[in-house]
Amino acid sequence: QVQLVESGGGLVQAGGSLRLSCAASGRAFSRYSMAWFRQAPGKEREFLASRIWSEDLTYYADSVKGRFTISTDNANNTVYLQMNNLKPEDTAVYYCAAGSRLVPFKADYWGQGTQVLVSS
């Protein structure tokens, strides 16, 4: 089992930045690939970015490429999503996931989500 706990969501004005954190624990979590997804009201869950733990291999959805950055802190077992130049359409619940492959990412474990609200 892998446990994932997200934090860092909140309210931000358009053009602002937020950094989301995902604390990972449990059995052999470092063997998994990590990813961030989001789900806006009335929409399907959307893949955003993935990363191979401890390796400099990342993949981004076109919708966030150049604005969002996924990174890992191996010492603190944490995955981050740095979000810059936020837009109202980025409003959603953001989820961290652990799984396999970089692309297409297959999620095996999910966090509980953290809400991001971007005001215009």
Side-chain angles (χ1 to χ4, degrees), residues 8-60:
L11 175 64
V12 63
Q13 288 189 334
S17 298
L18 276 177
R19 189 178 75 162
L20 305 181
S21 301
C22 172
S25 62
R27 184 177 180 179
F29 64 86
S30 62
R31 296 182 182 179
Y32 290 86
S33 300
M34 303 300 296
W36 286 94
F37 290 73
R38 67 185 177 190
Q39 188 166 19
K43 295 188 177 181
E44 293 186 354
R45 193 166 293 190
E46 175 190 13
F47 167 85
L48 300 176
S50 57
R51 182 180 178 93
I52 303 294
W53 201 289
S54 301
E55 297 185 26
D56 191 19
L57 292 171
T58 57
Y59 181 79
Y60 294 93

Side-chain angles (χ1 to χ4, degrees), residues 50-115:
S50 57
R51 182 180 178 93
I52 303 294
W53 201 289
S54 301
E55 297 185 26
D56 191 19
L57 292 171
T58 57
Y59 181 79
Y60 294 93
D62 288 342
S63 59
V64 302
K65 194 177 297 182
R67 295 192 301 127
F68 291 8
T69 302
I70 185 171
S71 61
T72 55
D73 180 343
N74 299 333
N76 293 304
N77 302 333
T78 302
V79 181
Y80 299 102
L81 186 68
Q82 177 67 44
M83 305 186 295
N84 298 328
N85 189 23
L86 284 162
K87 306 173 182 180
E89 52 264 42
D90 293 318
T91 293
V93 178
Y94 284 70
Y95 297 91
C96 173
S100 57
R101 300 194 297 265
L102 190 66
V103 56
F105 181 85
K106 178 183 176 298
D108 295 316
Y109 300 97
W110 294 93
Q112 83 288 352
T114 185
Q115 177 74 56

